[in-house]
């Protein structure tokens, strides 16, 4: 049935809204801004799951469109149908291990898909505007990216917005290329863009190929917990709903052409994080402390594994006032509980096309 919107203020197209972070962003915007129309465009790959949005579906301001950001004709029709004023672009291939197994898929979606989407926005927003430099007043293209574009840190230091790009995996190279194209559309065509580069997210709906949900799920099933290499690799973990709030802040207050780093100020070495998750799971499952840690298995390292990521998010804090709100202990426990309470979700997402590429390719 068609939905009608009262007091509609603007239409926001969110790509990748059926995925992990995208589903939290869609929920955040649909609930916080009932007068905005939220259009979720997602191809529903192995990583996209509409179950992530069951509670949002009845909202009168929420619309779902299944489609591919690589498909220019589809995008043209979509822009004509919904007339979005802005885009928040999250759709991507997101898993580093899969990019090692199949780099081209990452070029196609993350690079070609992003450029096809930029073209669709530019064409649609410039239409009816005959001047050589169109007036994009009231429009915004928000590109969601990753800290991995900056490469790898040693024991010290942080990534700032000025850090030189140095992507080292096919995934991060594809995201770096997409970031460059977004900035090129700002400089060349005057498209009003804004970007953010964020650290590792965690929380509900995280696909269980990524470290935290994989460990929780494997403990649940009594399977081994694969820790790559020496386990001394470091990531900065951010509660996914804090990321959605940061995107809201930057979307509304960020300056055109600017980039904002987002981080959790929450660094963990992988082995320490896995041990912490083991202890939380033992407690939640009523098992003796140490039961889950016995499942830890050191395995062959990820090729080209980045040693450490750490984000300096002071620009976002000082200019726009955003800070992470959830402490890691609380967030990890919430996450573990969510997976224990959502076994049907886990069974469903793991029953589709998903295959653990890394295991197949590198062991
Ligand atoms: P995800 O893999 O969980 O979700 C990606 C979504 O994009 C899925 O719903 C999928 O169906 C959709 N998609 C993939 N290819 C598509 C295509 N060709 N057309 C339309 N839809 C397509 O990813 P995520 O972890 O939620 O990441 C979302 C975005 O945030 C990505 O751009 C990623 O690079 C970025 N990011 C992720 C993290 C993280 O920790 N997960 C951190 C920083 C930035
Ligand atoms: O930093 C932001 C990035 O974080 C995002 O851009 C990516 O989309 C997202 O997938 C994530 O990338 P990582 O490679 O850091 O996440 P992943 O969960 O795959 O791995 C986290 C760390 O844990 C990394 O050092 C590799 C290690 N690891 C991972 C898996 C899956 C293991 O030791 N064992 C595993 O089985």
């Amino acid at each position: 049935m068609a939905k009608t919107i009262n007091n509609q203020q603007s239409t926001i197209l969110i790509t990748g809204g059926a995925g992990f972070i995208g589903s939290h962003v869609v929920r955040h915007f649909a609930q916080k801004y009932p007068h905005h129309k939220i259009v979720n465009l997602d191809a529903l790959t192995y990583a996209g799951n509409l179950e992530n949005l069951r509670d949002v579906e009845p909202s009168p301001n929420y619309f779902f469109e299944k489609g591919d950001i690589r498909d220019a004709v589809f995008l043209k029709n979509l822009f004509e149908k919904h007339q979005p004023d802005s885009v928040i672009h999250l759709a991507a291939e997101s898993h580093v291990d899969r990019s090692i197994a199949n780099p081209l898929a990452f070029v196609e979606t993350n690079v070609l898909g992003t450029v096809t989407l930029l073209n669709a926005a530019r064409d649609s927003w410039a239409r009816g505007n005959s001047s050589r430099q169109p007036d994009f007043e009231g429009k915004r293209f928000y590109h969601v990216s990753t800290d991995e574009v900056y490469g790898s840190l040693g024991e010290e230091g942080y990534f700032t917005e000025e850090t030189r790009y140095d992507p080292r995996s096919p995934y991060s190279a594809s995201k770096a290329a997409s970031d460059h194209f977004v900035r090129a559309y700002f400089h060349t065509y005057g498209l009003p863009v804004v970007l953010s580069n964020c650290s590792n997210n965690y929380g509900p709906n995280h696909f269980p190929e990524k470290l935290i949900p994989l460990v929780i799920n494997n403990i649940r099933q009594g399977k081994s917990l694969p820790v790559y290499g020496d386990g001394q690799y470091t990531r900065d973990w951010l509660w996914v709903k804090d990321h959605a709030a940061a995107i809201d802040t930057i979307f509304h207050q960020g300056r055109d052409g600017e980039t904002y780093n987002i981080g959790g100020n929450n660094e963990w070495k992988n082995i320490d994080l896995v041990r912490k998750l083991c202890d939380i799971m033992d407690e939640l499952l009523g098992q003796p402390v140490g039961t889950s840690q016995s499942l830890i298995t050191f395995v062959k390292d990820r090729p080209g594994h980045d040693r450490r990521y750490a984000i300096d998010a002071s620009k976002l804090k000082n200019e726009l006032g955003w800070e992470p709100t959830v402490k890691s202990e609380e967030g990890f426990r919430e996450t573990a509980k969510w997976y224990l309470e959502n076994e049907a979700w886990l069974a469903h997402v793991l029953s589709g096309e998903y295959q653990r590429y890394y295991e197949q390719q590198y062991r």
Side-chain angles (χ1 to χ4, degrees), residues 19-21 42-43 45 48 68-69 90 92 94 145 171 175 198-199 201:
F20 166 46
I21 301 171
D42 198 296
T45 68
D68 197 315
I69 55 165
L90 295 109
S94 68
S145 193
Y171 164 70
K175 291 296 291 187
C198 186
S199 64
N201 286 216

Side-chain angles (χ1 to χ4, degrees), residues 172-300:
S172 53
S174 71
K175 291 296 291 187
S178 67
D179 292 9
H180 289 319
F181 271 104
V182 172
R183 292 194 185 100
Y185 273 59
F186 173 71
H187 291 292
T188 308
Y189 307 114
L191 196 75
V193 308
V194 68
L195 298 87
S196 56
N197 293 81
C198 186
S199 64
N200 288 61
N201 286 216
Y202 71 95
N205 302 135
H206 205 181
F207 196 89
E209 64 188 349
K210 311 281 169 58
L211 181 67
I212 289 183
L214 177 87
V215 164
I216 293 170
N217 189 33
N218 281 16
I219 292 174
R220 204 179 59 88
Q221 297 182 304
K223 288 190 187 166
S224 70
L225 311 178
V227 174
Y228 297 166
D230 63 4
Q232 299 297 311
Y233 295 86
T234 301
R235 297 291 182 267
D236 170 8
W237 292 95
L238 176 68
W239 176 242
V240 63
K241 295 180 190 184
D242 276 340
H243 189 188
I247 289 174
D248 181 0
T249 301
I250 295 166
F251 178 76
H252 285 101
Q253 299 172 49
R255 285 177 288 134
D256 283 345
E258 290 288 319
T259 296
Y260 299 86
N261 279 353
I262 309 173
N265 197 18
N266 182 32
E267 283 184 58
W268 287 79
K269 284 195 167 35
N270 290 341
I271 187 63
D272 296 335
L273 170 61
V274 171
R275 289 193 179 121
K276 167 59 79 180
L277 293 170
C278 285
D279 293 349
I280 291 172
M281 286 295 282
D282 284 347
E283 190 194 317
L284 293 176
L285 294 169
Q287 300 175 158
V289 176
T291 307
S292 298
Q293 286 205 26
S294 69
L295 298 170
I296 292 175
T297 313
F298 288 91
V299 299
K300 195 173 157 192

Side-chain angles (χ1 to χ4, degrees), residues 67 76 132 156 164 179 190 213 221 302 311 320 341 362:
K76 183 171 187 289
R132 281 191 68 227
E156 305 277 311
R164 190 172 68 86
D179 292 9
Q221 297 182 304
R302 170 186 280 176
I311 279 276
L320 307 184
E341 287 163 7
Y362 297 107

